[in-house]
Amino acid sequence: MSVTLRTLQQYKTDEQKFSVLTCYDATFAHTLSEAGIDVMLVGDTLGMILQGHDSTLPVTVADMAYHTACVARGNSASLIMADFPFMAGATTERALEAAHELMAAGANMVKIEGAGWLAETITTLKRNGVAVCAHLGLTPQSVNALGGFRVQGRDDDSARSLINDALTLEDAGADIILLECVPRAVTARICEQLSVPVIGIGAGPECDGQVLVLHDMLGLNTGHVPRFVKNFMAPGGDIPSAVAAYDRAVREGRFPEPQHCF
Ligand code: KIV
């Protein structure tokens, strides 16, 4: 049976953890979906992983739609979440156009990076039948404004505004909140207060779901390896086993471990 938003909401109610991995092509989509990965995120990290850029900023809506269509062709049962690239959500008009292209390419929902100011855009997308994940915390598209890839919500003020942003966007209609590089104590406060599922990357085991960049968890990282990454490829030595090991570790609450958290 295919994973839908309702499946993820039920996981949250049942306190059952779920697995998410990035995916950019049909062959990997087939492998991930067959291994039982709940959500495949067509992330704009493809700009760095596939295209070789040093940030996600050059990625276009057309790039995202192309890779979303590739993933959709290889998918059997996972939910497909497609990322809005840089600036695609700058106005509600642009957001509607981007969502139209990504959903037509095969996405089941979209993900948008930002903060509380996304509320109106999210409400408009929802009104038009688009399910939305709001990506908060370290938002890599804002790397220049943030002054680098840094953990967010470390001090009281920024923790409080992160929590308020999450609540505001849930109220605005966000179906999922994704937290990147957030101290686990702050994540725990957000998870307690939200009724929608929370997906984390470098945000601690308190999240309902965990996501990693596929190439990172396969040990294919060519540069700096972030603290929250675990190489699942090393023990089994083959990709389907690594994906299955990740899926099990997330579901059983064995990943992330304390050394992967802030
Ligand atoms: O683009 C992406 O792959 C992401 C994950 C790092 C969460 O946003």
Side-chain angles (χ1 to χ4, degrees):
M1 225 170 61
S2 293
V3 176
T4 66
L5 203 47
R6 283 175 69 97
T7 318
L8 304 182
Q9 285 156 348
Q10 192 61 46
Y11 285 155
K12 168 100 185 171
T13 308
D14 297 345
E15 297 184 13
Q16 152 80 59
K17 305 281 184 195
F18 61 89
S19 57
V20 185
L21 280 175
T22 67
C23 189
Y24 317 106
D25 68 39
T27 304
F28 272 114
H30 178 79
T31 304
L32 268 50
S33 200
E34 289 296 312
I37 297 297
D38 292 293
V39 180
M40 294 192 287
L41 167 62
V42 188
D44 65 350
T45 39
L46 67 84
M48 299 167 87
I49 304 284
L50 303 187
Q51 297 175 335
H53 296 296
D54 61 3
S55 79
T56 57
L57 304 196
V59 177
T60 65
V61 174
D63 292 335
M64 295 307 305
Y66 171 81
H67 287 281
T68 300
C70 294
V71 169
R73 286 193 282 269
N75 184 30
S76 44
S78 307
L79 183 140
I80 299 176
M81 182 190 290
D83 236 349
F84 269 24
F86 184 51
M87 288 293 174
T91 64
T92 44
E93 289 71 24
R94 288 180 76 160
L96 285 169
E97 279 166 23
H100 189 182
E101 278 203 50
L102 298 176
M103 300 296 285
N108 301 117
M109 70 186 299
V110 301
K111 173 165 86 58
I112 181 164
E113 288 185 19
W117 52 264
L118 284 175
E120 191 191 332
T121 304
I122 290 177
T123 303
T124 306
L125 289 169
K126 287 300 298 296
R127 205 180 292 137
N128 284 276
V130 181
V132 184
C133 170
H135 181 154
L136 305 178
L138 170 56
T139 46
Q141 291 167 11
S142 305
V143 58
N144 293 298
L146 295 174
F149 295 99
R150 299 164 180 281
V151 178
Q152 302 295 304
R154 276 205 194 271
D155 60 73
D156 286 351
D157 280 353
S158 62
R160 209 170 306 115
S161 71
L162 200 49
I163 294 166
N164 287 339
D165 285 347
L167 289 167
T168 301
L169 296 185
E170 180 181 59
D171 270 1
D175 300 283
I176 296 180
I177 299 291
L178 187 147
L179 299 176
E180 178 163 354
C181 289
V182 173
R184 57 184 289 198
V186 179
T187 299
R189 287 166 63 194
I190 293 174
C191 290
E192 259 167 42
Q193 295 182 57
L194 292 189
S195 44
V196 297
V198 177
I199 297 173
I201 177 163
E206 287 76 11
C207 299
D208 306 292
Q210 296 292 333
V211 59
L212 281 180
V213 170
L214 176 64
H215 292 57
D216 285 348
M217 61 78 77
L218 294 177
L220 288 173
N221 196 309
T222 50
H224 165 72
V225 180
R227 176 188 173 119
F228 53 76
V229 169
K230 176 170 174 174
N231 179 344
F232 284 86
M233 182 71 168
D238 71 276
I239 291 172
S241 310
V243 172
Y246 169 76
D247 183 59
R248 270 197 313 277
V250 169
R251 284 180 200 284
E252 292 168 11
R254 290 183 288 103
F255 176 79
E257 298 159 53
Q259 69 268 27
H260 304 121
C261 302
F262 299 101

